[in-house]
């Protein structure tokens, strides 16, 4: 008889994930790979046999945060010397050997492109020498990751279709930590989507650092665009909802815009970062678009899908940003009225082009961020208030905090709290929105 697991009891694996959705997806893959090596995921570090930090390097102090987190595990390691500690993700890629030098108790450091080698690395640890793998290997890591047996999954999931970035915005570490743009072959993505639907997934978010630059090989040998891939995925009966993130304004091609108008399964939500409303700053950021060209893309999308919820990313206090430049960002927000947005103070990343430029005062950054966030919050509130009284479809996902309550997902981004029978989990139901909180909606079944 075949055994699904090694003979011994499963070892306990604690994973802590930082950063973007791709790290969430990567953590799932690492858990699955280590599952085949006899590890079972647990939700506390206390009695774990292995601790894995999947890290993010996007803003300053990310590495320092990881070192202090590692320091907190020192007593655990002292009490249990065979506890394995691993650092994965973008800090691992950026810092490499340095992590072992500063924290010799770390057993392994593995970058985002080589984590399929994790089970092998884990098997080789334990002789007191830290292992480091930050290669960008030739082989496709996705082909080398053992698949977990068909387990049931929650109704929504991430699926990486593209990784890395060739854009080199002057503030950003991603091209260095994730490497050059690589698209997965379309058939592999379709197969993975079918597999996910067989496990109960109904809502898939396609992931890529530059997802709309996707250009993977299709089963017909042609280069497929993201729109072509989405059109094919939409043919999977049990897949009801498709989303994608994160996009670059310059890669919103005609077909992708058209897909928002004619594909019911493509959700009316688009995250399209702009970073700044000032052309001078956009140029200094090497964004290769202007405020006007960005707004034009939005106009074209709204023309085919008027109810689309728009989301963005903003950086305030980029080197040489004046009050006038910042005002242009506020003006752009007034024009777009984002349904949701993320905003950050510019943070210097060593090795990126903007790091050595004259910096804006911290106090100025703080004050501008507060003004921008107040405006973005006002627009988000207006968007959510506008949904009150409307009937919307919601995919019920999981139990809520209150008895008899389920949390579902609207077609937009926000969760919706509904009183509904647990048996409805995994179904799309129509609900009437009764109230709007800062980041969620409450509704009743209709
Ligand atoms: N295209 C990417 C963007 C990754 S970074 C993606 O897949 O999500 C996410 C956001 O972080 C960026 O859009 C930008 O607004 C912000 N960001 C990146 N580098 C930054 C820096 N050095 N300082 C502040 N914010 C930054
Ligand atoms: Fe970073 Fe710019 Fe690439 Fe996005 S497009 S990952 S912000 S370099
Ligand atoms: Fe962070 Fe790396 Fe994602 S730097 S945002 S985890 S790509």
């Amino acid at each position: 008889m075949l055994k699904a697991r090694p003979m011994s009891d499963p070892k306990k694996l604690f994973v802590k994930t930082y950063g973007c959705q791709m790290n969430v997806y990567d953590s799932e893959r690492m858990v699955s790979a280590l599952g085949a090596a006899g590890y079972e995921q647990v939700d506390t570090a206390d009695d774990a046999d292995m601790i894995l930090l999947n890290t993010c390097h996007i803003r300053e102090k990310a590495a320092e945060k990881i070192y202090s987190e590692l320091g907190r595990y020192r007593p655990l390691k002292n009490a249990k010397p065979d506890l394995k500690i691993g650092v994965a993700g973008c800090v691992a890629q950026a810092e490499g050997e340095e992590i072992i030098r500063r924290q010799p108790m770390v057993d392994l450091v593995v970058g985002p492109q080589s984590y399929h080698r994790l089970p092998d690395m884990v098997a080789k640890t334990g002789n007191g020498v830290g292992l480091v793998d930050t290669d960008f290997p030739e082989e496709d890591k996705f082909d080398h990751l053992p698949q977990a047996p068909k387990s049931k999954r929650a109704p929504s999931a991430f699926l990486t279709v593209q990784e890395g970035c060739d854009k080199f915005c002057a503030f950003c570490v991603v091209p260095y930590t994730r490497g050059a743009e690589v698209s997965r072959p379309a058939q592999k993505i379709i197969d993975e989507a079918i597999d996910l639907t067989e496990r109960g997934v109904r809502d898939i978010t396609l992931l890529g650092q530059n997802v709309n630059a996707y250009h993977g090989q299709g089963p017909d040998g042609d280069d497929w665009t993201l729109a072509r891939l989405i059109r094919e995925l939409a043919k999977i009966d049990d897949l009801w909802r498709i989303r994608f993130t994160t996009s670059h304004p310059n890669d919103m091609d005609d077909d992708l815009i058209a897909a928002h108008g004619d594909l019911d399964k493509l959700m009316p939500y688009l995250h399209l970062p702009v970073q700044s409303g000032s052309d001078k700053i956009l140029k200094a950021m090497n964004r290769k678009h202007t405020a006007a060209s960005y707004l034009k893309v939005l106009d074209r999308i709204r023309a085919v899908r008027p109810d689309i919820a728009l989301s963005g990313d903003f950086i305030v206090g980029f080197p040489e940003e004046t009050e006038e430049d910042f005002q242009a960002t506020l003006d752009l927000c007034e024009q777009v009225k984002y349904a949701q947005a993320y905003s950050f103070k510019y943070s210097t990343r060593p090795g990126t082009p903007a790091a050595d430029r004259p910096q804006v005062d911290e106090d100025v950054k703080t004050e501008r961020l507060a003004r921008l966030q107040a405006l973005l919050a006002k627009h988000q509130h207006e968007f959510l208030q506008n949904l009150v009284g409307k009937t919307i479809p919601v995919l019920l996902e999981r139990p809520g905090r209150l008895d008899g309550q389920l949390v579902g997902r609207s077609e937009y981004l926000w969760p919706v709290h509904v009183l509904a029978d647990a048996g409805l989990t995994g179904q799309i139901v129509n609900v009437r929105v009764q109230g709007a909180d800062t980041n969620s909606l409450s509704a009743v079944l209709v």
Side-chain angles (χ1 to χ4, degrees):
M1 211 177 77
L2 278 174
K3 267 191 237 73
R5 286 210 170 279
M7 300 250 280
S8 51
D9 278 347
K11 284 172 278 185
K12 292 179 182 147
L13 168 68
F14 173 70
V15 181
K16 188 160 177 180
T17 306
Y18 302 77
C20 62
Q21 291 110 323
M22 196 173 288
N23 262 10
V24 175
Y25 176 85
D26 288 348
S27 288
E28 285 169 6
R29 301 300 294 243
M30 289 191 276
V31 166
S32 165
L34 289 169
Y39 282 88
E40 197 172 81
Q41 195 176 11
V42 293
D43 46 21
T44 139
D46 294 343
D47 58 349
D49 299 292
M50 174 158 177
I51 295 173
L52 186 63
L53 303 182
N54 194 11
T55 62
C56 171
H57 204 234
I58 202 78
R59 277 167 291 274
E60 223 174 333
K61 304 200 182 86
E64 289 315 311
K65 234 193 317 194
I66 296 306
Y67 288 115
S68 63
E69 180 77 13
L70 287 169
R72 279 198 283 280
Y73 298 136
R74 163 64 59 200
L76 293 176
K77 183 89 171 178
N78 287 345
K80 187 177 182 177
D82 61 353
L83 165 67
K84 295 182 199 298
I85 299 185
V87 179
C90 292
V91 175
Q93 189 65 43
E95 296 265 299
E97 301 274 353
E98 176 67 8
I99 297 179
I100 308 270
R101 208 185 54 74
R102 281 187 57 182
Q103 274 291 1
M105 70 168 187
V106 170
D107 296 280
L108 66 93
V109 173
V110 63
Q113 300 311 340
S114 37
Y115 65 69
H116 53 296
R117 297 173 178 163
L118 195 52
D120 269 356
M121 287 179 82
V122 172
K124 287 185 194 137
T125 57
N127 56 2
V129 182
L131 301 176
V132 179
D133 188 342
T134 50
D135 282 358
F136 287 92
E138 282 289 306
E139 77 259 20
D140 182 351
K141 72 178 170 196
F142 297 101
D143 286 346
H144 293 262
L145 285 164
Q147 276 291 334
K150 285 240 185 285
S151 51
K152 185 101 179 101
R153 302 228 0 185
S156 30
F158 295 128
L159 200 177
T160 292
V161 304
Q162 177 278 341
E163 205 172 340
C165 181
D166 297 340
K167 297 275 193 297
F168 291 92
C169 299
F171 49 81
C172 185
V173 289
V174 170
Y176 311 93
T177 60
R178 291 274 167 174
E181 246 179 69
V182 177
S183 295
R184 294 177 69 191
Q187 192 59 52
K188 299 222 169 117
I189 296 161
I190 296 164
D191 292 345
E192 191 170 328
I194 292 171
D195 176 75
L196 287 170
T197 59
E198 286 169 355
R199 296 164 193 250
V201 171
R202 298 289 172 262
D203 182 325
I204 291 182
T205 302
L206 307 175
L207 296 182
Q209 270 85 35
N210 239 297
V211 72
N212 58 342
Y214 175 84
H215 56 98
Q217 194 191 44
D220 53 6
D222 285 355
D223 238 18
W224 281 23
T225 60
L226 184 65
R228 178 111 191 248
L229 176 67
I230 291 173
R231 288 182 189 282
E232 202 58 34
L233 290 170
K235 293 179 186 160
I236 302 171
D237 283 341
D238 288 335
L239 177 58
W240 301 339
R241 293 174 160 192
I242 303 170
R243 311 164 189 267
F244 59 90
T245 198
T246 297
S247 300
H248 190 283
N250 290 0
D251 294 316
M252 286 305 297
D253 64 27
D254 294 348
D255 198 14
L256 190 54
I257 293 174
H260 278 281
D262 61 39
L263 270 186
D264 288 342
K265 289 188 178 182
L266 189 54
M267 292 296 97
Y269 172 82
L270 178 67
H271 182 62
L272 197 62
V274 64
Q275 316 299 353
S276 168
S278 151
D279 286 345
K280 178 192 102 188
I281 296 297
L282 288 171
K283 190 158 196 294
M285 285 176 165
N286 191 31
R287 288 287 296 178
K288 302 194 177 81
H289 61 77
T290 60
S293 70
Y294 174 82
L295 291 171
K296 188 145 178 244
V297 172
L298 298 191
D299 281 348
R300 292 176 60 212
I301 296 164
R302 279 182 162 152
V304 296
R305 190 76 212 230
D307 66 332
I308 197 149
L310 293 167
S311 160
D313 286 349
F314 296 88
I315 295 178
V316 303
F318 187 77
E320 296 177 89
E321 183 190 71
T322 60
E323 175 60 28
E324 195 187 347
D325 295 318
F326 175 65
Q327 195 58 49
T329 300
L330 295 178
D331 291 348
L332 181 137
C333 293
E334 279 294 0
Q335 243 180 297
V336 176
K337 298 213 178 355
Y338 289 94
Q340 195 265 347
Y342 303 93
S343 47
F344 316 94
K345 288 193 248 182
Y346 170 68
S347 166
T348 46
R349 311 310 295 126
T352 59
D356 305 323
R357 298 182 193 164
Q359 302 294 315
V360 171
D361 276 356
E362 195 58 28
D363 292 353
V364 175
K365 286 186 197 173
T366 304
E367 188 266 335
R368 285 182 191 162
L369 185 65
R371 275 196 282 158
L372 175 62
Q373 289 187 336
L375 183 65
L376 293 169
K378 177 175 147 248
H379 292 155
Q380 173 166 332
H381 180 74
E382 284 166 9
F383 187 93
L384 289 173
Q385 276 303 323
N386 206 17
L387 289 171
V388 175
K390 298 220 164 83
T391 297
I392 59 168
V394 165
L395 173 60
L396 297 173
E397 291 194 314
R398 59 193 152 89
R401 247 176 295 150
L402 304 179
D403 248 8
Q405 190 192 51
L406 294 181
V407 185
R409 191 183 269 246
S410 60
E411 294 195 324
Y412 313 112
L413 183 78
W414 299 276
V416 185
H417 301 269
V418 194
L419 290 177
D421 187 81
L424 288 172
T425 308
Q427 299 296 315
I428 291 181
V429 293
N430 280 324
V431 302
R432 193 169 49 255
V433 181
Q434 289 194 309
D437 221 332
T438 321
N439 286 308
S440 68
L441 297 164
S442 56
V444 288
L445 289 174
V446 295

